[in-house]
């Protein structure tokens, strides 16, 4: 059982890495695509591949996290659900909800890309600090850090989009 848990944990970490990397490419591809004011077929194709990889990463993370939570709960009970585990589940929920809302064109582009990027980066950061021994933090601390990263992402994403629009009008 320990070997299975180790393998699933490694696959989870790989899924998170894949998600962080492809999220970075997704936002950069988006910036490049909108730079000239229209998204051509080649740009759309590359963005489609990137979004497919993001979806794969999300599914990997969903299943590995649920599997680990199931095993952890069966082994230690409710104590398994530490702030780290709750934060993971919250981030997964936000990633899936935002992706669905963006696909349905309900989530405005002012917030959607920034929420997706900040969620992926928070997931990567959370995993890194946890794996490096920082395991005692409160949910309030996590949420404040997540909010701060989201606000930074909103400023950066919208700032870059505004800059690209201004270049297009010149």
């Amino acid at each position: 059982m320990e070997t299975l848990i180790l393998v699933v944990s490694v696959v989870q970490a790989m899924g998170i890495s894949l998600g962080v990397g492809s999220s970075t490419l997704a936002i950069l591809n988006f910036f490049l695509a909108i730079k000239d004011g229209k998204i051509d077929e080649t740009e759309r194709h590359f963005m489609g591949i990137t979004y497919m990889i993001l979806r794969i990463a999300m599914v990997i993370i969903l299943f590995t996290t649920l599997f680990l939570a199931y095993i952890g709960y069966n082994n230690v009970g409710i104590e398994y659900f530490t702030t780290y585990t709750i934060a993971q589940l919250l981030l997964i929920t936000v990633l899936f909800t935002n992706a669905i809302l963006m696909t349905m064109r309900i989530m405005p582009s002012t917030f959607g890309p920034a929420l997706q990027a900040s969620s992926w980066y928070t997931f990567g950061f959370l995993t890194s600090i946890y794996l490096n021994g920082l395991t005692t933090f409160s949910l309030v601390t996590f949420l404040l850090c997540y909010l701060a990263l989201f606000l930074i992402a909103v400023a950066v994403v919208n700032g870059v989009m505004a800059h690209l629009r201004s270049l297009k009008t010149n």
Side-chain angles (χ1 to χ4, degrees), residues 10-142:
V10 168
V11 171
Q12 180 191 46
M14 291 172 65
I16 294 167
S17 296
L18 185 63
V20 171
S22 56
S23 176
T24 302
L25 289 175
I27 203 111
L28 292 174
N29 284 338
F30 176 71
F31 289 153
L32 184 64
I34 66 167
K35 184 176 180 182
D36 63 0
K38 60 182 170 58
I39 300 175
D40 65 35
E41 279 306 309
T42 302
E43 292 166 335
R44 190 176 313 282
H45 177 72
F46 282 116
M47 289 171 68
I49 292 169
T50 304
Y51 294 142
M52 174 79 71
I53 299 300
L54 271 170
R55 289 181 189 109
I56 290 169
M58 288 170 62
V59 169
I60 289 170
I61 293 167
L62 175 66
F63 285 117
T64 56
T65 302
L66 291 177
F67 175 81
L68 292 170
Y70 174 77
I71 296 299
Y73 180 77
N74 283 335
N75 286 335
V76 296
I78 198 72
E79 290 83 28
Y80 177 78
F81 292 97
T82 63
T83 301
Y84 172 73
T85 308
I86 293 167
Q88 280 188 321
L89 294 170
L90 176 71
L91 289 169
I92 290 168
T93 302
V94 170
L95 285 168
F96 273 88
T97 303
N98 189 48
I100 291 166
L101 294 176
M102 286 174 63
T103 300
M104 296 172 64
R105 301 196 190 284
I106 295 172
M107 177 62 75
S109 62
T110 305
F111 300 110
L115 184 56
Q116 208 69 0
S118 63
S119 296
W120 278 113
Y121 282 107
T122 300
F123 217 134
F125 182 76
L126 177 70
T127 302
S128 295
I129 64 170
Y130 184 79
L131 294 175
N132 283 291
L134 182 54
T135 59
T136 55
F137 52 91
S138 72
L139 191 56
V140 171
T141 300
F142 166 76

Side-chain angles (χ1 to χ4, degrees), residues 144-162:
L144 289 173
C145 290
Y146 183 34
L147 176 62
L149 191 54
F150 169 67
L151 293 174
I152 291 168
V154 167
V156 169
V157 169
N158 289 299
V160 170
M161 286 182 6

